[in-house]
Amino acid sequence: EGHVFYKAANPKTGNMWDVWVFHHGGAYYLYSLCAVDQVRGKPWPPNGWATWNNYSLATSTDGVNWTEVGPVLAKDRGVKWIGTGSTWRNPAPGGRPAFQMNYSCCAGRKQSIFFAQSDDLIHWTKCGHGSEFVPDERWYQPNGAGRWDCIWAIPREGGGLYGYWSATPKPGAGGLFGFGESLDGITWKALEPPKVEGVGVGDVGAIEKIGDRYVMLYGLDMRMVTLVADKP
């Protein structure tokens, strides 16, 4: 399979789905949403999302040759499945632990976002239920009535972070995804969703400030499009 970018081999990892990469100290850290109880080669078993149960990791210094680490975060007890997350630096100057990660949990119809922390990007400690982030019903559908999944964070002017995530804004809110802010990277406040033109409902991917514009990768109808904005 010479065309394959990376394929996990650890039996505790299982099949891979969504991935994201974090670069630090000359190395790439490749995280993937995985399902250990899936049949290999069949990414969508009959019970579908109910099987996604861990985040697994591989590392590389060149982005081509990878060393598999294996699972680094598992779904909580009583949770049907976990959704994709992303990784960022602690926004506090010199803050510890140095790195943070978000992950979503689905229990019944309820989907919430939680957080974990690490000093080495390999060993992760969950922040617990005190960090649970749920929809603000002023702008977003109540918990259990829509998406609430996967924050991608970028530095916020004046300190802290802005975050964007897959969400279900209420029809009158005029947006297509979630938007919020945090001073410490763990406690988040939802804000009014940004207004979006030219696309329909989709999934938030990565977003970065490039030059004077904000650029987002946005998953739409099994393809990726690019959204741009002059302000966060």
Side-chain angles (χ1 to χ4, degrees), residues 153-226:
I154 61 173
R156 173 179 172 270
E157 291 185 12
L161 302 166
Y162 279 129
Y164 301 78
W165 59 92
S166 298
T168 309
K170 290 183 174 179
L176 294 175
F177 47 78
F179 175 59
E181 62 185 0
S182 174
L183 292 177
D184 63 5
I186 301 298
T187 303
W188 283 82
K189 175 184 177 183
L191 301 173
E192 186 174 0
K195 301 298 186 290
V196 184
E197 299 177 355
V199 296
V201 176
D203 293 328
V204 171
I207 178 169
E208 298 292 344
K209 187 177 182 182
I210 302 176
D212 294 327
R213 297 195 302 176
Y214 295 84
V215 181
M216 174 187 287
L217 295 178
Y218 187 70
L220 183 69
D221 301 327
M222 301 302 291
R223 60 192 174 94
M224 299 298 295
V225 299
T226 303

Side-chain angles (χ1 to χ4, degrees), residues 48-61:
W49 289 102
T51 61
W52 302 115
N53 53 27
N54 77 87
Y55 288 170
S56 286
L57 172 66
T59 62
S60 173
T61 57

Side-chain angles (χ1 to χ4, degrees), residues 2 8 10 15 20 25-26 31 50 52 57-58 78 85 90-91 103 106 116 119-121 133 160 162 186 200 216 228:
N10 190 329
N15 276 339
W20 67 97
Y31 298 92
W52 302 115
L57 172 66
N90 188 325
Y103 62 99
C106 182
D119 267 324
D120 62 5
L121 294 167
F133 180 41
Y162 279 129
I186 301 298
M216 174 187 287
V228 295

Side-chain angles (χ1 to χ4, degrees), residues 8-29:
N10 190 329
K12 295 182 179 181
T13 291
N15 276 339
M16 303 166 62
W17 194 241
D18 297 336
V19 299
W20 67 97
V21 175
F22 188 84
H23 187 262
H24 172 70
Y28 298 95
Y29 293 78

